[in-house]
C-alpha cells in the first residue's frame, strides 16, 4: 500500500491533484479500477490517504533527524533545512489544486504539519535553554511565529526564485542570523566553531 501511495503522490506532484483521475492511477500502475477501489472509496479518499502518507513520512524523517543530531543547534539546522527543502519540492500545481479542490484536506494537513513542527521547535528551544545554549529571555511566541512563516507554503512561493538561486548560502546566512539571536555565549561559540 505504501508503494502505491508513494507512486500516486508522485503523480499528484507532477500533474496536480485535480487532473489525475482514478482511471489515470489504475492505468499508470497497471491495476484494475476494481483493485484500486479495494484500497480507496473514491478520489477524495485517495487524496486524503496520500496526504496522510506524506505527513507520516515527513514526521518520521523529522524524528530520525532529531535522534541523529543530539546537539540542539545541529538539530535545529537540519530540521529547518529539511522543512524549507520540502516546501520547495511542492509544485504550484499541487498546492493550487489541493487548496482549491480539496481545501478541507489541505487545511487539516497544514495544521497537523505546523503543530507537529512547532512542537519539535519548542522542544528544541526548551532543551537548549536547559542545556545552557539558548538565551532564557527570548519570547518563544516570536520564535513560533518565525517558524510558522518558514512553514507557510505561500511565503516560500513568494521568495522562491530568490532563495533557490543560492539556497545553501541563503539558508546558512539566515540560520546563523537566527541562532545569534537566540543563543547565549556558549551557543554562539558552538555556532562559530561548527558553522
Amino acid at each position: 500500500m505504501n508503494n502505491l501511495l508513494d507512486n500516486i503522490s508522485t503523480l499528484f506532484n507532477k500533474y496536480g491533484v485535480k487532473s489525475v483521475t482514478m482511471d489515470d492511477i489504475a492505468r499508470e500502475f497497471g491495476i484494475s479500477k476494481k483493485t484500486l477501489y479495494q484500497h480507496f472509496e473514491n478520489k477524495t479518499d485517495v487524496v486524503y490517504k496520500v496526504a496522510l502518507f506524506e505527513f507520516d513520512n515527513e514526521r518520521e524523517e523529522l524524528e530520525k533527524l532529531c535522534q541523529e543530531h543530539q546537539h540542539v543547534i545541529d538539530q535545529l539546522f537540519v530540521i529547518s533545512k529539511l522543512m524549507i527543502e520540502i516546501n520547495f519540492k511542492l509544485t504550484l500545481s499541487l498546492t493550487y489544486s489541493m487548496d482549491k479542490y480539496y481545501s478541507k484536506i489541505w487545511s487539516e494537513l497544514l495544521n497537523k504539519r505546523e503543530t507537529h513542527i512547532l512542537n519539535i521547535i519548542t522542544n528544541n528551544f526548551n532543551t537548549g535553554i536547559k542545556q545552557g545554549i539558548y538565551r532564557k529571555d527570548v519570547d518563544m511566541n516570536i520564535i513560533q511565529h518565525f517558524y510558522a512563516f518558514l512553514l507557510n507554503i505561500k511565503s516560500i512561493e513568494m521568495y522562491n526564485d530568490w532563495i533557490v538561486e543560492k539556497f545553501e548560502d541563503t539558508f546558512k546566512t539566515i540560520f546563523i542570523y537566527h541562532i545569534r539571536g537566540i543563543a547565549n555565549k556558549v551557543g554562539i561559540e558552538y555556532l562559530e566553531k561548527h558553522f
Side-chain angles (χ1 to χ4, degrees), residues 87-88 90-96 99 106 149-164:
N87 283 356
F88 281 143
L90 296 173
T91 62
L92 288 174
S93 63
L94 175 69
T95 58
Y96 175 80
D99 191 36
W106 186 236
F149 173 78
L150 286 180
L151 296 172
N152 185 314
I153 306 292
K154 290 183 180 171
S155 66
I156 292 293
E157 287 172 359
M158 196 166 49
Y159 296 103
N160 195 11
D161 293 339
W162 177 72
I163 295 173
V164 169

Side-chain angles (χ1 to χ4, degrees), residues 11-27:
L11 274 182
F12 285 167
N13 204 30
K14 188 173 183 181
Y15 300 110
V17 177
K18 182 65 176 171
S19 62
V20 176
T21 65
M22 296 296 272
D23 286 323
D24 293 333
I25 294 168
R27 186 173 41 258

Side-chain angles (χ1 to χ4, degrees), residues 29-190:
F29 305 116
I31 57 177
S32 68
K33 279 180 70 176
K34 183 178 178 182
T35 302
L36 193 59
Y37 281 108
Q38 289 174 351
H39 297 288
F40 308 103
E41 293 176 30
N42 52 37
K43 171 86 178 279
T44 301
D45 189 41
V46 173
V47 172
Y48 185 70
K49 286 179 178 171
V50 168
L52 286 181
F53 170 77
E54 288 298 336
F55 172 74
D56 287 341
N57 284 345
E58 183 178 289
R59 189 181 69 225
E60 287 173 17
E61 182 67 23
L62 286 168
E63 288 168 6
K64 181 180 166 191
L65 289 174
C66 288
Q67 290 171 2
E68 289 174 357
H69 301 274
Q70 294 300 311
H71 195 284
V72 290
I73 293 177
D74 295 334
Q75 192 181 86
L76 192 60
F77 181 82
V78 293
I79 290 167
S80 302
K81 189 173 181 185
L82 177 68
M83 297 321 314
I84 293 172
E85 287 173 343
I86 287 171
N87 283 356
F88 281 143
K89 288 179 186 174
L90 296 173
T91 62
L92 288 174
S93 63
L94 175 69
T95 58
Y96 175 80
S97 57
M98 283 296 290
D99 191 36
K100 183 171 182 178
Y101 302 107
Y102 299 95
S103 59
K104 187 176 177 185
I105 295 171
W106 186 236
S107 179
E108 179 185 332
L109 178 68
L110 292 179
N111 287 336
K112 278 184 175 188
R113 182 178 192 242
E114 183 174 312
T115 299
H116 179 69
I117 294 166
L118 291 181
N119 284 338
I120 290 173
I121 299 303
T122 302
N123 289 338
N124 176 278
F125 192 72
N126 291 334
T127 302
I129 289 172
K130 286 177 191 168
Q131 293 176 349
I133 295 167
Y134 296 152
R135 293 174 27 215
K136 294 178 183 176
D137 63 339
V138 176
D139 185 343
M140 190 58 209
N141 288 329
I142 294 171
I143 302 301
Q144 287 179 330
H145 279 75
F146 173 73
Y147 274 90
F149 173 78
L150 286 180
L151 296 172
N152 185 314
I153 306 292
K154 290 183 180 171
S155 66
I156 292 293
E157 287 172 359
M158 196 166 49
Y159 296 103
N160 195 11
D161 293 339
W162 177 72
I163 295 173
V164 169
E165 191 175 309
K166 294 183 178 181
F167 176 74
E168 292 296 326
D169 292 338
T170 303
F171 175 77
K172 192 172 179 183
T173 300
I174 292 169
F175 183 77
I176 290 170
Y177 180 78
H178 173 60
I179 294 299
R180 285 189 172 279
I182 66 171
N184 60 21
K185 185 179 178 184
V186 174
I188 291 172
E189 286 172 0
Y190 183 87

